[in-house]
Amino acid sequence: QGEEGADAASRPLSDLRRYRKFATHSTGPAVLNAMSWQLPALLLGAFFSAGVVGLYALTMKVIQTPVGLVHQAISQVFYREVAAARTDGTLDRLVGDLFTSLSKAALLPCLLLFIAGRNLFVFIFGPAWDQAGLFAQILAPWVFVWFITSPLSVIYLALERQEEEIKVQSTIFAARCLSLLLGGYTGNPVVAVTLFALSGVLAYTYLFFVICKCAEIHALQTVVKALPNVAAALLCAIPSAVVVLIRMPQLAILTIVFCTALAHTVFLMRYMKGDPSFTRKQQVCMASLTDS
């Protein structure tokens, strides 16, 4: 009983030592993450007018709200599944297959945003917000990379590898700061947002490689597995690209885009329910996407 009592008494200290990284290693990345999201508005405000900042803020609000809800839902489920997958040796499959599924879900919508972002913003908010639509088009590639990698980043916490998060958040913060400073000195807000989007693509691509390292999967093979999704999305986006290029009436463009997006949503829901290769864990993670 004495030994058991001693073990019980020492267990809290042992747990404290084990989980100390949650406090010591997660505080810095959390602060950097919060700062990096506020950084664009601050630096754009330092170089450009309040109108430019307002256009950027609207663009990010429209993008971040739905994507953030999806990220939160998927991350919560994915975090719970990582520990079990690591125990039964299926972590690589869980991460790889969920990455493929996320790319399948996000690629076509991001292509449509890239193709017809200005038309959508003008239709919804009015002609005064045309440049906000242009910003949305420029940011679309970054939105795609962000969408497919960010939900998986909770793998750091699940695997107790918070030191990797410090590297990633520092890289993202530095890339955003440098790109916005360079863009600001050009005096052109479009160039500034373009450099910001490019830095985001590069930084979140780095995040993808870190996630693959944590999950012990081959990054190139994971990308190759998702390539059929790229071909399918490009084919589906052709009608929208054509009607925009030939400058058809606004209503025709929006009709084509809406029908394409609706068909994609229906396909995604059927794919989730009917694909036999979809594991139970994937179904749980991806179900949170449609619930959001």
Side-chain angles (χ1 to χ4, degrees), residues 263-274:
H264 172 71
T265 302
V266 172
F267 164 77
L268 182 63
M269 295 178 68
R270 292 178 62 88
Y271 159 75
M272 288 169 51
K273 294 179 180 179

Side-chain angles (χ1 to χ4, degrees), residues 177-190:
C177 188
L178 180 61
S179 64
L180 289 167
L181 287 173
L182 290 175
Y185 281 116
T186 67
N188 188 328
V190 175

Side-chain angles (χ1 to χ4, degrees), residues 81-183:
E81 297 290 349
V82 168
R86 184 186 187 185
T87 301
D88 59 27
T90 59
L91 179 60
D92 55 344
R93 180 180 177 186
L94 173 67
V95 174
D97 288 351
L98 185 55
F99 170 82
T100 302
S101 300
L102 287 170
S103 66
K104 186 187 292 288
L107 184 54
L108 183 56
C110 289
L111 276 174
L112 296 177
L113 181 65
F114 179 75
I115 292 168
R118 298 182 80 166
N119 302 87
L120 292 170
F121 271 69
V122 169
F123 175 76
I124 297 172
F125 301 106
W129 299 96
D130 175 76
Q131 192 172 33
L134 175 60
F135 287 168
Q137 288 180 298
I138 294 171
L139 292 169
W142 164 72
V143 173
F144 172 69
V145 182
W146 172 44
F147 183 93
I148 61 177
T149 56
S150 186
L152 302 177
S153 64
V154 295
I155 195 172
Y156 309 138
L157 296 176
L159 299 181
E160 301 177 32
R161 297 182 62 174
Q162 290 88 343
E163 63 277 1
E164 299 290 350
E165 187 176 15
I166 297 175
K167 300 176 185 177
V168 170
Q169 291 299 335
S170 298
T171 300
I172 293 174
F173 181 82
R176 287 179 176 177
C177 188
L178 180 61
S179 64
L180 289 167
L181 287 173
L182 290 175

Side-chain angles (χ1 to χ4, degrees), residues 14-30 86 156-166:
S14 176
D15 291 342
L16 183 62
R17 285 193 295 268
R18 177 183 176 185
Y19 295 111
R20 69 185 185 278
K21 290 194 294 184
F22 283 89
T24 59
H25 287 56
S26 296
T27 302
R86 184 186 187 185
Y156 309 138
L157 296 176
L159 299 181
E160 301 177 32
R161 297 182 62 174
Q162 290 88 343
E163 63 277 1
E164 299 290 350
E165 187 176 15
I166 297 175

Side-chain angles (χ1 to χ4, degrees), residues 1-11:
Q1 287 182 339
E3 292 181 358
E4 292 178 359
D7 291 340
S10 64
R11 190 173 298 119

Side-chain angles (χ1 to χ4, degrees), residues 243-258:
V243 295
V244 170
L245 287 174
I246 65 177
R247 298 187 178 182
M248 288 189 68
Q250 182 94 312
L251 182 60
I253 294 174
L254 294 174
T255 299
I256 295 295
V257 171
F258 174 77

